[in-house]
Amino acid sequence: MVSTGTVRIRPEHPYGSRKPMYWWLLTSRQWTPPRPINVYVIEHTRGLVLFDTGQNRASVTDERYFPGGLTGYLYDRLARFDIGEQDTLTAQLATLGYAPSDVDTAILSHLHQDHIGGLPELTGTELLVSAAEWAELSRPGPEQRGFLRGHIQLPGLKWHQISPEPTRDPALAPFTESLDVMGDGSLVLLPTPGHTAGSMSLLVRRTGRPPLLLTGDLTYGADILQRGQLPGVGRRRQLSQSTRQVLALEDQQPGLVVLPAHDPTAAQRLLDS
């Protein structure tokens, strides 16, 4: 795991609120402590794989990175980033002895800004995104819904839209759809919509070690998930269903380690696993 800087968000964002999203977004006066922007690096026999690509440093150095007007104001209310020169995807991969050119495949849990930031550095990489998530770019007002098309649909990128397929694997219950990324059962994508329509989680099966579940923004902490507490951003009904499915999956995957994208405890729990 590497981290492309940190982000502070409103407490209602990770912990939920009875207030409508735009109400707390416009009225909240508090920020959480800094939370990491995690990128997961997987060494597979068929190549180097990333799950998510982090936040772009240009988002804190280029005043034109975000939209202007009311949309830009909402982005400013939503999150505050701290991203240093050492926090770029290239710099963080270098700490592991890799360069962006070494990355064969990058899987995007979803297409919000803090998950697509490394795309300009991955021009030679196969990029996987769910077809349901890609469809969000064609709906009206994508920027207002968190999809910055100008930073996603970049020239030269190798996008591949993927869709889960029916599965009867009892080890994946209660999930009835999945996608075996490498064809060997080691990396299995599971649909976990709610935060966005096409959000995906990645089950990583390791020989002789507990399995991992990389959940993107389904939750903002493994402890929050265990309580069944839903975040404040997304469709509540879908978030609830996906949360129940992930909690039930733990019964089929003994020792499962859940690793959200912004969980401050993820790095240590990954080391301990």
Side-chain angles (χ1 to χ4, degrees), residues 10-267:
R10 305 294 181 178
E12 294 89 346
H13 195 147
Y15 299 111
S17 173
R18 294 183 179 180
K19 302 174 184 177
M21 175 184 166
Y22 283 107
W23 180 267
W24 61 253
L25 181 60
L26 293 171
T27 60
S28 180
R29 297 183 179 182
Q30 296 180 310
W31 296 98
T32 65
R35 307 179 75 92
I37 307 170
N38 296 334
V39 174
Y40 294 96
V41 185
I42 303 165
E43 296 169 325
H44 191 275
T45 54
R46 291 180 55 188
L48 194 67
V49 180
L50 299 185
F51 187 74
D52 287 330
T53 70
Q55 178 80 3
N56 195 327
R57 176 163 159 75
S59 64
V60 299
T61 61
D62 184 354
E63 62 182 16
R64 298 168 299 177
Y65 187 86
F66 292 107
L70 176 59
T71 300
Y73 175 74
L74 293 175
Y75 275 91
D76 187 61
R77 291 285 306 175
L78 186 66
R80 296 286 172 89
F81 296 96
D82 184 0
I83 306 169
E85 294 180 1
Q86 76 284 357
D87 294 326
T88 65
L89 181 61
T90 295
Q92 286 293 298
L93 287 175
T95 66
L96 303 177
Y98 294 117
S101 58
D102 296 321
V103 179
D104 296 279
T105 305
I107 302 168
L108 284 300
S109 66
H110 64 292
L111 294 177
H112 281 167
Q113 53 161 323
D114 50 334
H115 299 260
I116 56 91
L119 292 180
E121 301 162 70
L122 297 172
T123 53
T125 300
E126 304 294 326
L127 305 173
L128 307 185
V129 65
S130 73
E133 188 74 357
W134 192 261
E136 291 294 296
L137 301 179
S138 300
R139 291 181 54 209
E143 284 75 18
Q144 288 88 339
R145 292 180 287 106
F147 301 102
L148 299 175
R149 286 182 298 185
H151 301 306
I152 297 170
Q153 296 172 312
L154 298 173
L157 294 184
K158 301 178 180 179
W159 284 106
H160 300 278
Q161 299 177 47
I162 57 177
S163 297
E165 303 168 349
T167 180
R168 294 184 179 180
D169 185 349
L172 299 179
F175 287 94
T176 59
E177 293 184 320
S178 67
L179 184 68
D180 187 345
V181 178
M182 295 298 185
D184 61 2
S186 62
L187 302 179
V188 180
L189 281 167
L190 301 171
T192 50
H195 182 70
T196 63
S199 288
M200 301 185 296
S201 296
L202 181 67
L203 178 65
V204 182
R205 289 160 161 162
R206 305 179 295 172
T207 303
R209 302 176 72 182
L212 311 173
L213 186 68
L214 316 181
T215 61
D217 287 357
L218 173 63
T219 185
Y220 290 81
D223 58 332
I224 301 173
L225 181 79
Q226 288 299 320
R227 296 194 297 267
Q229 192 171 355
L230 304 181
V233 176
R235 296 182 178 179
R236 191 171 182 84
R237 180 175 297 180
Q238 287 185 325
L239 284 168
S240 179
Q241 179 178 354
S242 294
T243 295
R244 289 195 302 270
Q245 288 181 304
V246 167
L247 290 173
L249 182 68
E250 292 181 326
D251 295 333
Q252 311 298 330
Q253 301 285 332
L256 183 69
V257 180
V258 176
L259 299 172
H262 304 293
D263 187 341
T265 73

